[in-house]
Amino acid sequence: MTITQSFDPDAAAISEGLFGLPFTRDQSKIIVIPVPFDATTSYGGGTVGGPSAILKASRQVDLYDRQFGRVWEPGIFMDPIDRQILALSASARTDALPIIENGGAEEKDLQALDRVRQAGDLVNEFVSHRVKQVLAEGKIPVVLGGDHSTPFASIQACAERGPIGILQIDAHMDFREAYEGFQWSHASIMYNVLEQVDGIDKVVQVGIRDFGEQELSYAESDKRVTTYYDEDLARSVAAGRGFAAICDSIAIELPSQIYLTCDIDGLEPSLCPHTGTPVPGGLSFREFNELLSALVRHGKRIVGFDLVEVCPSESGEWDANVGARVLYKLCGLAGVQLKQ
């Protein structure tokens, strides 16, 4: 009898695995790589605790999903949290925090900046190795951050296997160059991707509502970038256009092979109140789900994805609860193609 035949998805979780699933890594087709690194978050910190909090919260998620069915069937496995990455995050945060509190780097901060950059380099090496291993096995890699700097090497590794588009769900453009002096800033992820990664045919941003003037100029100057601003989405709905039709338009912009990067602050702040930089507006959970459905309707194939900036709180586990459910929905999206 196989695990799929013997496992009762309606029973209480008894496994310590992600979503309480009993699968080993070898038995799983979706591999979650936790990257608890949070050095440069410039408003609120704490996303270093996101992976462990989501793991804990995931065990109370009901496994049947009306949108995607038996999401668990292809096998979902989360690698153990790497203690060296945790230690690296702590040391880099110690170097970065005085610079952040001062509003940016000065001449005296050059050595600290370099140490933070080296820490980012090491994170990229870690993620690159893990993601390439998953891709070589014919499985789908998932980066679970940490801050939004963490998936850079995952996007790079996926793009090395053939041209891709990126769907970015986010409140921010993340087109800042070396923000506050940090090359691997959480606010620079998409700038770094477009400037350093070959094979990016398209970037479609959804939910954007907080950005600088230079970021806007950068987005408008690169023909690969299409931005769906949050206020424009809301205005279209208010004018009577159905949100499903809007999502169809978004999906049509993307090529067939896509990487999905999901910053939790792309959702409305009631769903992620403790994330590093919450912004009024954003997608509801239902709208987020409709966007995923549109990707299925238009036959998009997910080569990899990430979920970042989930920040747990000592006052409750709501952020982790939502993060776990967003992660399960994303696994459901990826699982559609695994079942075909």
Side-chain angles (χ1 to χ4, degrees):
M1 182 180 294
T2 65
I3 288 180
T4 301
Q5 292 171 324
S6 61
F7 174 62
D8 182 0
D10 292 327
I14 57 174
S15 166
E16 293 297 306
L18 188 64
F19 303 113
L21 298 176
F23 298 101
T24 65
R25 192 184 188 286
D26 288 344
Q27 295 165 333
S28 302
K29 295 181 180 178
I30 299 174
I31 309 299
V32 179
I33 304 161
V35 190
F37 185 82
D38 177 12
T40 67
T41 44
S42 48
Y43 183 66
T47 62
V48 66
S52 60
I54 288 173
L55 173 62
K56 181 179 179 181
S58 74
R59 298 177 185 129
Q60 53 80 44
V61 173
D62 280 322
L63 297 180
Y64 184 78
D65 184 88
R66 190 162 181 254
Q67 183 178 14
F68 293 118
R70 295 178 174 177
V71 172
W72 58 273
E73 274 191 329
I76 306 168
F77 181 83
M78 178 169 159
D79 286 340
I81 291 174
D82 191 287
R83 298 295 170 185
Q84 291 183 321
I85 296 297
L86 278 172
L88 187 65
S89 179
S91 63
R93 185 66 174 170
T94 299
D95 279 322
L97 196 55
I99 298 172
I100 295 167
E101 291 174 345
N102 195 44
E106 299 176 353
E107 188 71 25
K108 63 181 176 61
D109 300 315
L110 293 181
Q111 288 186 335
L113 273 180
D114 192 54
R115 288 193 295 270
V116 176
R117 179 194 58 76
Q118 290 179 47
D121 289 342
L122 290 173
V123 170
N124 288 339
E125 290 176 11
F126 170 85
V127 172
S128 179
H129 173 74
R130 293 292 185 91
V131 169
K132 287 179 178 179
Q133 182 181 26
V134 173
L135 291 171
E137 295 168 355
K139 301 178 180 183
I140 296 178
V142 183
V143 167
L144 182 60
D147 69 38
H148 208 166
S149 71
T150 55
F152 171 82
S154 180
I155 296 171
Q156 186 175 52
C158 290
E160 286 175 357
R161 299 172 71 90
I164 60 172
I166 298 175
L167 174 60
Q168 176 192 358
I169 299 172
D170 207 324
H172 309 89
M173 285 183 164
D174 292 342
F175 284 144
R176 295 182 182 270
E177 181 180 356
Y179 187 56
E180 295 180 318
F182 302 113
Q183 178 185 358
W184 301 117
S185 170
H186 71 103
S188 303
I189 174 68
M190 298 313 297
Y191 174 87
N192 289 331
V193 165
L194 286 178
E195 291 294 318
Q196 299 185 46
V197 178
D198 294 329
I200 306 300
D201 284 350
K202 189 74 178 178
V203 173
V204 175
Q205 303 177 309
V206 178
I208 304 297
R209 55 198 187 275
D210 206 26
F211 49 88
E213 191 171 351
Q214 290 183 344
E215 289 184 284
L216 178 61
S217 296
Y218 184 89
E220 292 177 343
S221 69
D222 194 318
K223 294 181 179 179
R224 293 174 294 176
V225 178
T226 298
T227 303
Y228 286 83
Y229 297 97
D230 186 65
E231 66 175 316
D232 290 344
L233 296 177
R235 187 177 293 115
S236 292
V237 171
R241 191 180 184 197
F243 196 75
I246 294 172
C247 291
D248 285 334
S249 297
I250 294 170
I252 289 169
E253 289 278 354
L254 290 158
S256 59
Q257 306 278 339
I258 68 170
Y259 182 100
L260 197 158
T261 182
C262 181
D263 186 327
I264 198 71
D265 69 25
L267 306 185
E268 56 190 17
S270 63
L271 297 171
C272 51
H274 297 99
T275 191
T277 316
V279 184
L283 300 179
S284 70
F285 192 66
R286 290 187 294 274
E287 289 170 337
F288 170 78
N289 291 337
E290 182 57 40
L291 180 55
L292 302 190
S293 289
L295 298 177
V296 175
R297 286 196 296 272
H298 291 272
K300 307 304 177 182
R301 295 189 63 82
I302 307 301
V303 298
F305 64 90
D306 62 69
L307 173 62
V308 298
E309 302 286 354
V310 175
C311 186
S313 167
E314 294 179 359
S315 63
E317 51 82 63
W318 177 240
D319 293 76
N321 183 315
V322 173
R325 294 174 187 280
V326 168
L327 180 61
Y328 199 61
K329 285 289 188 179
L330 291 170
C331 289
L333 171 66
V336 170
Q337 65 203 44
L338 294 172
K339 296 176 182 178
Q340 292 174 343

